[in-house]
Every structure is written in structure tokens, then in C-alpha cells.
Amino acid sequence: MRPSRLTLATLVLAAACGAAADTPTATGTSASSGTTPAPSTPTAAVPVVGVINAHQAATVGIPFDYDATLGGAAFTNPRGGALRYSATFAPNANGLTLANGHVTGTPLTTQVVTVTLTATDTAGATSSQSFGIAAFAAGLPLPAFTTAFSYTDASLGLPAHFTVLPLAPPVPPPGAPAPLPPPPTIAVTDNTGGNAVTDAGATLGRVLFHDVRLSANDRVACASCHIQGFGFGDTAQFSHGFQGGLTGRHSMGLSNARYYQRGHFFWDERANALEDQVLQPIQNVLEMGVSLADFKVKLAATAYYPGLFTAAFGSSAITDTRIALALAQFVRSMSSYQSKYDQAIASGNPASVLTNDEEAGRLLFSGPAGCARCHVTDAQVMDAPHNDGLDAVTVDTGAGQGRFKSPSLRNVALRTRFMHDGRFTTLAQVVGHYNTGLQPNVDLDPRLRQGPLGQPQRLGLSPVQVQQVVSFLNTLTDPTHTNAPKFKSPFVP
Ligand code: HEC
Ligand code: HEC
């Protein structure tokens, strides 16, 4: 079952059908339209659309002047005589006007304006073409590339336990509560589908991910809410969108997102594929607030994008599909595989690498504490959404019945808020929740129940054991990943 491929195919198809929408448009109209000329009379001459204006960039507060007639090349005039030019601006002029074929004025605010330029000849026949003017905030940074990075798996040298391996069989430490059934043995696989990571694709994705131009007012980038140093999560309980509004849920860590085998994204799995997911924050009225149509005008009008698209996809065309593919490639390149835990697994003898507490915590996690029955594989991803008993009465239904997916637990110790509503502030609280805090929700996952009546489990972990599980979670921190230059912002102020 790979819904991601289906969705990808749909996206590609949609883009292929809608390709014309990405480019400035021309509509020729004729004064005689609707009337059929008599066969003996020559066809009436009308202005003919010549060179189409490319989308233009302007800056808020800075005078703008642009010759939309392209020195007379925008239309040709078979009838002869002077052409008159007029223009309409949608959704509004944003401080611009048309004078002598020039769009001039000082843009008032960050906004994309569609200019429809009409040429009228001496007989009143008209013809039109449209293009966009994106007004950007003043002083935006530009990307600087000094190093070519490797994002593809082949060049990463992923450890063996990242290509095939079920979790090590659990060995309960002495004195631990009776072992629960063993974790499912699922090999580490991923949700890449047909969109393999390429260096040029991920590079484009990286620029997009860090570019504040992705938001309506040029203030918020993906990276504003997904911060590398925190495993690409946010420190705040709820994140601020482009106008300062707060998101309804806590931002999710993105490390190892690609290894979530069900391939659905968001806490409630509402995005069917990563390629679907990455376009949603851009259009979200609270997060980035820009339509995809306006967004493509902004990218086309930004000098460095056409080259990045050409490098990634072979031509400079900017389409929804390509934006989705590139962003998804960058997110999938965020494999975390160089933590202390990875060294321990690769050594074949974890106890020789981990401290006593970390090793005891590892054994609890994959054994009696039952954590690895849901947080599966060496990528520590969720197997499927679950209700984990946060509330007795469901507040947020999530994927239904209060079920949520968890992001990978990689780098979880760097985060400062936990769960979909960011309610916990320490990992000890999280482990304490599983130990003694589960609420008797009717939809509580069967794996978190115990006894003949299916009561919420009480793990019976001692304070020392709770701390051991926390120590283990700290071994999932991967400083190489959270400091890697290739994930950092390429923009220089
Ligand atoms: C204003 C803050 C904000 C911005 C900007 C933002 N995100 Fe998010 N992101 C969130 C929140 C909050 C969630 C969880 C939302 C939910 O589940 O309802 C999330 C979830 C995600 C997920 C799902 C992870 C998973 O494992 O299911 C991905 C992937 C993601 N964001 C990528 C991006 C990308 C790419 C961008 C830029 C195009 C972006 N985000 C912009 C806040 C933000
Ligand atoms: C029945 C499945 C299940 C089991 C067993 C389970 N978890 Fe979870 N875990 C979840 C779900 C579901 C979430 C997300 C819940 C939410 O946000 O509402 C989660 C979230 C978390 C988070 C927060 C992740 C984040 O980014 O906010 C941590 C940490 C965590 N679990 C650790 C553990 C530990 C440690 C154990 C064992 C003591 C454990 N889990 C057992 C299902 C489970």
C-alpha cells in the first residue's frame, strides 16, 4: 500500500494539465470578433501579442518603473498608427499605475499584482497579455553557495542498521515488570516513493525551506517553525504564523520523517504524502498565507530560482509539482543516523558504548516499558497513529478517536515541548505519563492497557528507571545532524 505514489502521479498529472497557468498569459481579441468578415474583404488587422512580459520583482517603499511595452515588442500593430495602452491590476493596484506604457509607482505592501496590459489600435481593436509583479519586503537576504553538499543516500554511507534491521530482541533487566509482547519487527524502510533525493533537488528544497519569500509578507520560512538545532521542531508550544497568529498544534520534529512507513504526514496524518504536505503550510492562512499562483510568480520574479529549478529538473519552469518534489527531497534528506545510539548498535555490543543507565533505559524502552511497540525501528518512528491516553475525554480527535502519529524520537531530547499540543516540557514528564499518568479514555490503545478490565497500564517504573529511559532518549541526539552545514540557512543577511 503506497498512497504516496498515487498522489505523486496525481500531482504530476495536475501540473501537466495546468502548465499554462504557470506562465504569463496572452489573449488576443479582435474588434470584429463575433462577426464573420465577408470573403472579399481582407481580415481586419488587430494588435498581435508579441513578446510576453516576464513576472517582475518590485520592493515595497521603493519607486518602481517598468516598460511593459518592452520598447514596443509586447504587441505588433498590423494596422499601423499608434497603439494606446491601458492596464488593469488585480486584486488591486498596490500603489502602481500605468503611464505611457510604463507600470510605475511605489508598492505599498508585500503582494502579488496581476497586470493585464491591453493595446488598442487606431480602429479600437484590442489585444491583451498578463503578467505578475511581486512586491517584496525591503532588505531580504540572498542565498550564498560556497559548498556543494551531498544529500543522496549513496553518498551518505548509511549504517547497516539503517538499511535492514529489526530492532534487537528485548532483554528485560532483572527486577523489571513482566515483559510485554515483543515489538513488531519492521525493517527500516522509507516513504520516498518515486521521488528519489538528488543533490540538486534537495539544494533547491533547502533554499525554499529557508526562504522567507515563501510567506505572504516575507517574514516566515519553513525553518521559522522547524529549527535545525531542535531536530527541526519548534521551541514554542505553538508556532507563530506570518501575521503572528498561533498554530493549532505544536510543530513537529522532521528528523527521520522519511522513515515513517505509512507515508502520511501531520499529527493527524491528513496529508497523504510528503509531496502533499509540503505545499500545505505555504497556502495555510495562518502559517504562510500565499496562494500557489502568487507563490509561483514570486519565485519566477526572484533571480536565483530559475537556475535552481534548471539544475534540479532540467528546465527553469516553476510548477507546483516541482516545488513539492524539491521540498520533499530536502525534508527526506534529514536522515539522522549518527547518534550515540547508532554507534552503540553498529558496535554490535551496545553496553560497550552506552553508560549503564543508558543501556538499562534502552532495554526498558524496547522491553518491559513497551515503548518500541509503537516507536518502532532504529529510526524510532511511529508504526501508526494511536490514542496514548493524554486525556480521559478526547479534546482533539486527531486522526479519529484521539489518535495521533508521533514524529521520530530522533533528537527528541533537544526539543522543549512534547506531544501534539506541546503539553509536556520535560522527557521525565513524558515517561511519567506512560508510567502512571495514562487516562482511562474509551479509545485508549490496547497496547497501553493492562489487566482483565483493560485498565490504563501502570508500568511500575521506579524514579531511577524513569530517569534511565530519559537517559536512553538522550542517546538519540545526533549533533552531527543538528549542526550539519548542509541543513543550515543558505541566506546571508
Ligand atoms: C508557522 C509554523 C510553521 C511553518 C511556517 C511550517 N510548519 Fe511545518 N508544521 C508546523 C506544525 C504546527 C505542524 C503540525 C501541524 C498539524 O499536525 O496539524 C507541522 C508539520 C509539518 C510536517 C509533518 C511532519 C510529520 O512527520 O508528519 C512537515 C513535513 C512539515 N511541517 C514541513 C514543513 C515545510 C516543508 C514547511 C515550509 C513549506 C513548513 N513545514 C512550514 C508548523 C509550521
Ligand atoms: C501505544 C503506542 C505508544 C506507546 C506504547 C508509547 N508511545 Fe510514545 N507516543 C505515542 C503517540 C501516539 C505519541 C504522540 C501523541 C500525541 O501527541 O498526542 C507519542 C509521543 C511520544 C513522545 C513525544 C514526541 C514528540 O515529538 O512530542 C515521546 C518522547 C514518547 N512518545 C516516548 C515514549 C516512551 C518513552 C514510551 C515508553 C515508556 C512510549 N512513548 C510508549 C504512542 C506510543
Side-chain angles (χ1 to χ4, degrees):
M1 193 185 66
R2 303 214 57 113
S4 55
R5 277 200 193 127
L6 257 182
T7 322
L8 206 63
T10 321
L11 263 175
V12 173
L13 205 67
C17 302
D22 298 337
T23 42
T25 51
T27 51
T29 53
S30 151
S32 60
S33 87
T35 63
T36 314
S40 54
T41 20
T43 307
V46 296
V48 175
V49 175
V51 181
I52 306 256
N53 279 283
H55 300 311
Q56 299 297 314
T59 307
V60 172
I62 296 192
F64 175 80
D65 182 81
Y66 172 69
D67 177 10
T69 73
L70 299 169
F75 298 92
T76 55
N77 184 14
R79 193 189 298 278
L83 287 175
R84 281 183 295 115
Y85 296 98
S86 59
T88 57
F89 299 89
N92 56 56
N94 196 22
L96 300 173
T97 178
L98 189 81
N100 303 322
H102 283 231
V103 179
T104 67
T106 302
L108 301 171
T109 182
T110 47
Q111 189 191 313
V112 173
V113 172
T114 302
V115 181
T116 302
L117 179 72
T118 300
T120 307
D121 69 13
T122 48
T126 64
S127 192
S128 302
Q129 61 163 282
S130 301
F131 62 99
I133 297 179
F136 289 99
L140 292 181
L142 291 171
F145 288 98
T146 47
T147 324
F149 289 109
S150 286
Y151 295 95
T152 58
D153 278 5
S155 49
L156 294 179
L158 289 178
H161 63 276
F162 251 81
T163 43
V164 254
L165 192 110
L167 275 182
V171 184
L180 295 156
T185 50
I186 304 173
V188 176
T189 63
D190 69 25
N191 50 52
T192 294
N195 183 22
V197 177
T198 63
D199 289 342
T203 299
L204 168 59
R206 174 187 173 202
V207 177
L208 289 167
F209 190 87
H210 287 280
D211 197 342
V212 291
R213 292 164 182 81
L214 264 69
S215 58
N217 58 4
D218 302 332
R219 289 206 182 141
V220 168
C222 309
S224 311
C225 304
H226 297 285
I227 307 164
Q228 182 181 6
F230 302 95
F232 296 100
D234 196 351
T235 49
Q237 181 171 16
F238 301 109
S239 308
H240 289 279
F242 73 107
Q243 287 174 318
L246 289 177
T247 55
R249 296 193 182 120
H250 180 55
S251 172
M252 300 173 79
L254 302 182
S255 305
N256 283 354
R258 68 179 276 188
Y259 298 110
Y260 185 55
Q261 293 158 68
R262 288 166 57 84
H264 301 311
F265 289 84
F266 288 124
W267 290 103
D268 56 9
E269 288 201 325
R270 68 183 179 280
N272 283 328
L274 193 49
E275 286 74 9
D276 281 349
Q277 192 285 330
V278 292
L279 293 180
Q280 294 193 25
I282 300 171
Q283 305 167 78
N284 185 293
V285 290
L286 196 141
E287 296 185 0
M288 302 170 109
V290 57
S291 73
L292 287 179
D294 283 358
F295 181 57
K296 283 178 288 191
V297 173
K298 292 182 82 172
L299 296 191
T302 302
Y304 47 83
Y305 276 114
L308 288 166
F309 276 83
T310 303
F313 299 110
S315 78
S316 62
I318 295 173
T319 66
D320 298 350
T321 306
R322 287 177 167 191
I323 295 164
L325 293 174
L327 274 168
Q329 285 185 30
F330 182 60
V331 172
R332 286 208 186 88
S333 77
M334 297 170 180
S335 297
S336 167
Y337 57 96
Q338 288 166 292
S339 66
K340 188 173 187 186
Y341 173 81
D342 295 295
Q343 293 161 25
I345 295 299
S347 76
N349 179 13
S352 69
V353 175
L354 303 180
T355 66
N356 290 345
D357 276 349
E358 290 165 350
E359 175 65 357
R362 185 181 77 86
L363 295 174
L364 284 166
F365 185 92
S366 56
C371 317
R373 294 193 300 165
C374 297
H375 300 277
V376 299
T377 79
D378 284 334
Q380 285 83 31
V381 290
M382 188 108 292
D383 63 336
H386 300 280
N387 180 316
D388 70 347
L390 288 172
D391 301 296
V393 177
T394 299
V395 181
D396 181 341
T397 52
Q401 289 93 41
R403 290 176 305 124
F404 293 92
K405 83 178 255 197
S406 165
S408 164
L409 298 185
R410 283 305 168 116
N411 302 306
V412 72
L414 295 174
R415 308 216 276 269
T416 55
R417 290 283 184 166
F418 308 97
M419 305 301 182
H420 69 273
D421 54 7
R423 65 175 62 190
F424 296 130
T425 54
T426 67
L427 284 174
Q429 285 172 5
V430 177
V431 181
H433 164 72
Y434 290 107
N435 194 27
T436 59
L438 294 179
Q439 299 299 303
N441 189 300
V442 286
D443 296 312
L444 177 65
D445 195 274
R447 297 175 204 185
L448 296 172
R449 294 172 181 273
Q450 67 186 20
L453 297 177
Q455 295 300 307
Q457 76 180 12
R458 296 292 177 249
L459 284 175
L461 300 179
S462 69
V464 169
Q465 287 176 312
V466 168
Q467 211 40 58
Q468 287 170 337
V469 175
V470 172
S471 299
F472 164 73
L473 293 171
N474 273 275
T475 69
L476 303 177
T477 299
D478 180 351
T480 311
H481 175 81
T482 56
N483 292 317
K486 67 181 180 180
F487 298 131
K488 291 198 155 83
S489 173
F491 289 92
V492 283

